[in-house]
Amino acid sequence: MLAVLLHTVPGSAQEPALQSMPVDPLVDVEWLLAHIADDNVVVVQAERRAGRFEEEHIAGARPLRFDDIAWEGDEGWIAEFRSVDEITHALQAAGINRDSKVVIYGASMTATARTWVTFDLLGLGDRAFVLNGGMDAWKDAGGAVESGPAEGLASGDVVPVDPVDFRVSADWINARLDDESLVLLDARPDHEYTGEDGGLGNGGRPGHIPGAAQLYWEELMDPANNTRFRPTAEIADIMARHGAGEGKTHVAYCMIGMRASVDYMAARLLGLDILFYDGSWRNWGDRPDLPTELGADPRDARERRDARPM
């Protein structure tokens, strides 16, 4: 049985709930420098590799182990949300309270974004923020760092607030592939999207979901710092070029749901209707009953053609 079935939000409805109200999931280092000492501000480092927090972290930050909020599977090719109770316990263990304003950062933008999406799943997306620019921006601004373990953390009392289950299944997507209002956003790079990788390194079927737009997550990031989002206006232009827009239903996916988290955050920033395919290609590609498509995104070919001088 797939992990997406094992690790689901209890009581989730058959029909997913669209996330469409705009939220600003980003905070800049200037704000954090001014407010890091506030009683209700909690800085967490999304920790995917054991020991990274002890090596260096923002002074006063707390570690939040990624495998406490996501089940990564026996072979590391899966990243499914854990249950609401498990996630809540992990957030409380990090000292997060009901009134906390949480600032998230980490070495990996995809893990950081996935952590924010986890807060959003629990209805806490309006009180959690990603540090735009991450540790590099913090250091460049003269922010203090330290090493060693976090000490003396008191357990917090945070609880979910009207959790919204915005996840969709492969069957939900497959039943709507002919719906012109559905926009699938594939956050993977060229070789995975086109199928040139052979499918999970020749370990699965290659390609992408038919009709999906290739919105590689790094397109949304500053070329000089892939933990910093581009300005909102640029993000809006990029999303529009990939078919996104008002009046459409968007679904973000990638290989295991990590990189898709960046696309999801961008859609939330713009207030677009967005859903999340947690199983992603690792789930879709393992099912021979589902259709696949190979080759480049035709939207990219049109962009190159339209960009040629007359």
Side-chain angles (χ1 to χ4, degrees), residues 269-282:
L269 178 64
L270 299 178
L272 299 176
D273 290 339
I274 184 68
L275 298 166
F276 193 82
Y277 180 21
D278 199 17
S280 283
W281 189 255
R282 181 66 176 86

Side-chain angles (χ1 to χ4, degrees), residues 67-99:
D67 57 4
D68 287 338
I69 62 173
W71 183 78
E72 296 196 83
D74 298 331
E75 299 177 359
W77 275 104
I78 299 172
E80 306 288 359
F81 292 104
R82 289 193 179 274
S83 71
V84 166
D85 287 345
E86 290 175 304
I87 296 169
T88 301
H89 177 75
L91 301 186
Q92 291 174 348
I96 298 171
N97 292 309
R98 295 169 192 255
D99 66 343

Side-chain angles (χ1 to χ4, degrees), residues 208-224:
H208 55 268
I209 299 175
Q214 186 195 9
L215 178 53
Y216 181 41
W217 72 274
E218 287 197 358
E219 286 187 56
L220 300 165
M221 312 309 293
D222 184 337

Side-chain angles (χ1 to χ4, degrees), residues 245-269:
E246 293 184 8
K248 299 179 180 180
T249 298
H250 308 82
V251 177
Y253 82 94
C254 55
M255 182 65 75
I256 60 173
M258 297 291 289
R259 293 167 287 188
S261 301
V262 179
D263 287 12
Y264 176 92
M265 280 188 64
R268 291 286 276 132
L269 178 64

Side-chain angles (χ1 to χ4, degrees), residues 15 26 35 80 90 96 114 154 156 174 228 287-288 298:
E15 189 66 17
L26 304 174
H35 294 278
E80 306 288 359
I96 298 171
R114 176 60 183 238
N174 190 45
R228 187 198 308 277
R287 288 185 49 176

